[in-house]
Amino acid sequence: MAPLRPRDYRLLITAFAVSATGSWAYNVALAVFIFEQTHSPAWVGAATVGRFVPALLLGAYGGVLAERFE
């Protein structure tokens, strides 16, 4: 597996996997917390949409700003 030989690449892939796992764990914990507090799947859905839509709409713009300014 030649692509995995460089140490920096392996570290990058490992860091990405750890970060993605943490993000999913946070989303699951948030959904469980909201359901325990409200007992409503509608509120769980609203919280999920409330986290996803701003990232979808503003993510590209934030990337442009991050690239433009240090």
Side-chain angles (χ1 to χ4, degrees), residues 1-68:
M1 301 197 82
L4 296 178
R5 282 197 182 126
R7 180 179 182 273
D8 289 343
Y9 184 70
R10 287 194 313 267
L11 289 174
L12 177 67
I13 294 300
T14 302
F16 178 76
V18 170
S19 176
T21 302
S23 293
W24 277 102
Y26 175 79
N27 287 333
V28 170
L30 181 64
V32 169
F33 175 76
I34 291 172
F35 188 76
E36 285 182 351
Q37 295 297 312
T38 65
H39 301 289
S40 170
W43 278 111
V44 173
T48 302
V49 169
R51 283 186 36 82
F52 177 71
V53 171
L56 178 68
L57 296 177
L58 301 174
Y61 182 68
V64 170
L65 287 177
E67 182 70 25
R68 187 161 296 180

